[in-house]
Amino acid sequence: MKKPNISMMRILLIITAIFCSTLVFAQNSKEDVRVNQLFNFEWKFKAGDVANAQNSSFNDSDWRKLDLPHDFQFEQPWDKTASRGRGFKAMGVGWYRKTFKAEANWRGKKILLDFEGIMLHGEVWLNGKKIGGTNYGYLGFESDIADMIKYDAVNVVAVRSSTGEIANSRWYTGGGLFRDVHLVVKDSISIARHGIFITTPSISNQNAEVRVQVEVEGIKNKQYELEIIAKIFSPDGKQVAETKALAPKKSQLVAVEVPLPKANITNPQLWSCETPNLYTAEVELVLNGKVIDKLIKRFGIRTVEFSKEFGLKLNGKKVFLKGVANHHDLGAVGAAAHKTSIARMMDQLKAFGFNHIRTSHNPYSESFFDLADEKGILVVDELYDKWGSSVAWAGSAPWNDIWYNNVKEWIKRDRNHPSVIMWSFGNELQFQEERWNFPTSDWGVTTYRIMDVVAKRYDPTRKTTVGMYPARAGGIIRANPDFRIKENIVPPELATVTDVASFNYTWEDYQEYLKHAPNMIIYQSEAVTNELAAPYFGMDRDKMVGLAYWGGIEYWGESQGWPRKGWNYSFFNHSMEPFPQAWLTKSIFTDEPLVHIGVVDSEGEMKMWNDQIVGQKVISSHWNRMEGEKYSLYTYTNAEEVELLVNGKSIGVQKNSMDTKKRNTIYWQNIPYAAGKITAIARKGGKEVARHELETAGKAVALKMETENENWKADGMDLQYVRVYAVDSKGRIVPTATGEVTFDVNGVASIIAVDNGNHSSDDLFDGNKKVLHKGFAMAILRSTQIAGTVKLKVTATGLKGIEKTLTVK
């Protein structure tokens, strides 16, 4: 990989820094309002536990330089002897250090370091003094460093992060500063952390009532004439409303919540999956005619209703959740929360008809929710896996000690996002209460009710839920012979008291459950992929909320056996390339006429996991097979019938079964292979509505390149995904092609990962070389903070290479 011209880049960086600092100074001198600086750049890192690394005088000259977000655990070698649940990676510690200089105009203000999270937990020091940390790394914190910052010397931030012990999680978590860090400078009288709360309690086509609440700090026992002003801007940037109020005087609270008078917006543009319109509230604090703090918050105008009669309505229209429940890692970048990686994941899901993600089993990054708002993804926002401190507890402090502050931070952080439609307090509850170390002897009913009170204190607008382990009332699990006795098919006690009853699997029993608890509003919080379309068609979609397929995207950890590095019973591989089964989900989630051929490579496996049968056949969509062999295959379709042809000769016609367990999945056995074309023609009412064809590819002769990010930004954070395929002389992808691909990059970007979608590979993702897997390889490039061009050259032995010049704006 060629490196950029360093001397020229340094000159450009200096010019850019001067320009940016001039702009910041001009803005601050004009209004003297808050600074919010992305603190992700120019960190140093060292793997392992390093003595005295928190001290300012510590010599870190040999540490590695990097930018955040970063997952240090993902860089460690795969270890067959390590925990398969934790992704065959060893547990460990990583240290980060960063230096910065304080600006003179920061004096007398609050200076905050805001960490969005430290995985799995971490501690932070400034100039050798500990300033804070997080006991539950999926949530952030801020520390006021004003009293210890130096104005006459360089300041040193040091962070120790730990992945914890193996027992702290059941899946791969990653490690380190995996999310954004900010430095915030604001007046001592200011808007508090997550201090804006916007609701829309009354909405019609003609008018939307908007309520803005602002939490102000720094006015305890004071008598300031402090005015709070909120200006509302439409999705196209026009001001459409304004509301204001005076802050209370002599308040005894450290931070006081001030509700502003209602504002009205005429002819509101509603937020929905199809039209994710976003309004903006610009909130100012004005003291003696001067703006002393300003914060901007986006929100959406939409109604969300739940009922046992219709499940879920968005803006008065029935919506059925069609989703995935996945862990937070993002393929080749590990758990590092790159916004571009999240965006491409969401785009691919939407392209296949998905409209929903459950954040299993912890809060995701703030950028995830921003993108869900922008793209129209409905989110069930989840806080924990289990409750209590005994088993699979990710915190470094007892659950009993920190759950309240966790709930507060979580809900205040996410409550303005229109994409969030429900809060979930946890997962796989209702059985083995002795694990929790918070016994209530009622299967968590009391625990839920306590948490519900706290949640509704900070957001009374949304329903709450808890994901149920596939167990019956009384904690009877599937492994118990009594599980299938009819009189025991009774819903878990906890599910009958939650606002929405969330069940992992067990869709066959929902109607029986309703006989015992007819007021339940049912959501299938996890559906198993090996049952294909059955969990969807098996639900009463008119009256139930929806479903989320477990592990719909491959993720690291929870491997079902080496050499697989994680969960792979999925619809998409970890690089977001679709398996054939993804077209099955598209056939059930969309009305678009569709047919897709998937050839069975092997019967795969079936096994018991968390009291649920899981597994998946290995299926691929290509027609480069063995001469003289016969193959079984599937055609996934939402049409009435499919005709299958091999080289123009009809193999027959099959109807689409209406059986819940077979629908949209037509099985063809022992189809003789002949090189050429295999074609599936889908018909409705006798007329062709869709067609899919696989064609035998020839010898690989060249590489084909596809880039994804047309608007690649020079902000130092944006990524460019470059997909490369081996193709024959006619441009057809050759799935059997092998060989090593080399990516050479020259310009204002660097490679941060290379991938090929192989979940069983022992390779890591660094460097600039990758072996083709099923004719595919991929490089992930990260921009610098300089606009310009990137020359990309991709080569492979025996194949015609390809070059492309990309623009970074």
Side-chain angles (χ1 to χ4, degrees), residues 583-624:
W583 273 271
L584 171 63
T585 65
K586 189 171 184 178
S587 79
I588 64 176
F589 289 166
T590 74
D591 295 327
E592 175 189 337
L594 181 150
V595 64
H596 191 90
I597 303 168
V599 183
V600 178
D601 296 322
S602 77
E603 291 299 311
E605 62 188 359
M606 292 290 175
K607 56 175 62 178
M608 185 71 79
W609 173 82
N610 280 11
D611 272 349
Q612 177 65 42
I613 300 295
V614 298
Q616 185 160 291
K617 292 185 178 183
V618 181
I619 299 174
S620 58
S621 290
H622 68 84
W623 199 234
N624 280 50

Side-chain angles (χ1 to χ4, degrees), residues 88 142 247 349 358 389 399 663:
F88 294 111
E142 65 182 19
L349 288 176
R358 174 185 174 217
S389 310
W399 183 88
R663 194 166 168 183

Side-chain angles (χ1 to χ4, degrees), residues 315-540:
N315 300 324
K317 298 179 181 178
K318 167 66 182 175
V319 173
F320 191 79
L321 297 182
K322 298 171 285 191
V324 294
N326 256 70
H327 292 307
H328 70 157
D329 70 66
L330 296 161
V333 298
H338 287 280
K339 190 171 183 178
T340 311
S341 305
I342 299 167
R344 74 186 295 267
M345 176 264 288
M346 289 182 175
D347 287 342
Q348 184 74 310
L349 288 176
K350 288 209 76 171
F352 279 80
F354 291 81
N355 64 6
H356 164 53
I357 297 172
R358 174 185 174 217
T359 71
S360 317
H361 304 292
N362 45 262
Y364 284 10
S365 68
E366 293 186 42
S367 57
F368 170 89
F369 293 96
D370 289 337
L371 287 165
D373 291 345
E374 294 169 11
K375 296 178 181 296
I377 300 283
L378 300 171
V379 179
V380 172
D381 196 351
E382 193 157 84
L383 178 58
Y384 294 128
D385 183 16
K386 308 293 190 292
W387 295 336
S389 310
S390 302
V391 175
W393 169 231
S396 59
W399 183 88
N400 315 49
D401 294 346
I402 66 175
W403 72 264
Y404 176 86
N405 284 329
N406 286 170
V407 172
K408 178 181 177 181
E409 168 73 10
W410 167 57
I411 288 187
K412 290 181 70 174
R413 190 196 75 164
D414 295 346
R415 61 189 175 180
N416 292 308
H417 292 285
S419 56
V420 176
I421 59 170
M422 185 162 50
W423 305 113
S424 175
F425 297 146
N427 172 65
E428 288 188 358
L429 278 303
Q430 175 62 38
F431 83 121
Q432 296 183 353
E433 189 177 76
E434 64 273 12
R435 287 185 175 190
W436 304 352
N437 199 30
F438 196 85
T440 57
S441 299
D442 59 1
W443 299 108
V445 170
T446 299
T447 313
Y448 163 77
R449 285 177 170 155
I450 293 170
M451 295 176 75
D452 188 55
V453 169
V454 177
K456 287 183 169 58
R457 155 68 179 90
Y458 295 105
D459 175 27
T461 71
R462 290 178 178 88
K463 300 288 188 184
T464 60
T465 191
V466 175
M468 293 295 107
Y469 192 86
R472 313 294 194 202
I476 300 173
I477 63 174
R478 195 182 299 269
N480 190 323
D482 294 338
F483 186 82
R484 290 298 340 156
I485 297 175
K486 186 170 182 178
E487 52 264 34
N488 289 332
I489 304 179
V490 178
E493 291 86 347
L494 181 54
T496 65
V497 301
T498 54
D499 290 344
V500 174
S502 295
F503 296 106
N504 291 354
Y505 319 112
T506 62
W507 58 269
E508 308 98 319
D509 299 320
Y510 293 166
Q511 294 301 333
E512 193 66 29
Y513 282 176
L514 286 169
K515 293 178 182 177
H516 298 275
N519 292 321
M520 288 193 306
I521 305 168
I522 291 180
Y523 161 62
Q524 189 174 179
S525 40
E526 291 177 22
V528 68
T529 55
N530 59 280
E531 292 182 343
L532 302 175
Y536 174 84
F537 288 119
M539 296 182 74
D540 185 340

Side-chain angles (χ1 to χ4, degrees), residues 721-737:
Y721 278 75
V722 180
R723 301 194 311 273
V724 172
Y725 301 91
V727 296
D728 67 8
S729 59
K730 294 184 178 180
R732 298 171 296 199
I733 296 173
V734 183
T736 55

Side-chain angles (χ1 to χ4, degrees), residues 127-156:
N127 300 328
K129 297 179 181 178
K130 189 172 180 180
I131 60 171
T134 176
N135 293 314
Y136 185 62
Y138 295 106
L139 291 172
F141 67 98
E142 65 182 19
S143 296
D144 191 343
I145 59 175
D147 290 341
M148 60 192 72
I149 202 165
K150 298 176 180 178
Y151 288 90
D152 57 353
V154 170
N155 295 278
V156 181

